[in-house]
Amino acid sequence: MEQHEQDQFWMCKALLLAERADSADEVPVGAVVVLNGEVIGEGWNQPISGHDPTAHAEIIALRDAAARIGNYRLVGADLYVTIEPCTMCAGAIVHSRIRRLVYGASEQKAGVVESNCQLFERPWINHRIEVISGVLAETCSIKISAFFQRRRAEKKAAKISLKDEG
């Protein structure tokens, strides 16, 4: 299987994890850490349910991988995530020494890999990460967009319901 096909395969796994977040009414982001063709870490967004602002999919997947291999350095591992990482997650990716970051949809507001500030390219960053973007981007983007459309509709319905009661 060529690299692009492998990237799509692992992104599909990340999308399945994003479903778990969606089912818990969390922003549907999923992440998978792969080393030597095996999943060593999995994560999905859990900041609301976990009462933890750091419980982004990437952070949970990195923690899971580090615990499984017994080392916080994930040298040679690839991280697949359904959306472009934020500043916090990008910092964790650098510190964990991820080899490749593969992500699906761009995040125009908070993404810092390519959309804003290109954090990995800054001269003070002490580890270089290969970045592959746009893998199953449309599928990843639709999943996030549908979640926020649903959430906006729910808020609107709640407001209407309050007006009707008042």
Side-chain angles (χ1 to χ4, degrees), residues 17-166:
L17 293 167
E19 282 294 327
R20 293 179 82 170
D22 200 9
S23 296
D25 210 25
E26 299 271 5
V27 177
V29 178
V32 178
V33 180
V34 177
L35 181 64
N36 300 324
E38 290 185 35
V39 173
I40 61 167
E42 297 181 331
W44 58 92
N45 268 7
Q46 300 173 51
I48 298 166
S49 58
H51 311 290
D52 180 356
T54 69
H56 289 194
E58 300 95 311
I59 301 295
I60 292 169
L62 293 171
R63 286 176 180 161
D64 187 31
R68 286 192 200 187
I69 68 166
N71 192 339
Y72 75 105
R73 300 282 197 211
L74 304 173
V75 176
D78 299 341
L79 174 65
Y80 294 84
V81 63
T82 56
I83 196 163
E84 181 180 3
C86 69
T87 307
M88 174 184 68
C89 294
I93 291 165
V94 169
H95 289 295
S96 65
R97 299 301 191 258
I98 286 293
R99 177 180 70 112
R100 291 173 70 238
L101 166 67
V102 181
Y103 72 87
S106 294
E107 212 317 352
Q108 297 305 311
K109 290 182 183 177
V112 299
V113 176
E114 294 177 319
S115 295
N116 299 292
C117 95
Q118 298 77 44
L119 186 68
F120 294 158
E121 296 174 22
R122 297 293 171 223
W124 63 86
I125 298 298
N126 64 350
H127 174 68
R128 297 292 161 219
I129 297 156
E130 180 184 348
V131 175
I132 308 298
S133 60
V135 175
L136 302 181
E138 187 174 352
T139 305
C140 294
S141 182
I142 288 169
K143 178 166 285 310
I144 294 280
S145 296
F147 173 83
F148 284 111
Q149 281 181 326
R150 186 178 75 236
R151 185 173 271 179
R152 284 190 296 274
E154 289 168 355
K155 285 183 180 180
K156 186 176 181 179
K159 283 183 181 179
I160 291 170
S161 178
L162 285 174
K163 283 182 183 178
D164 289 346
E165 291 176 10

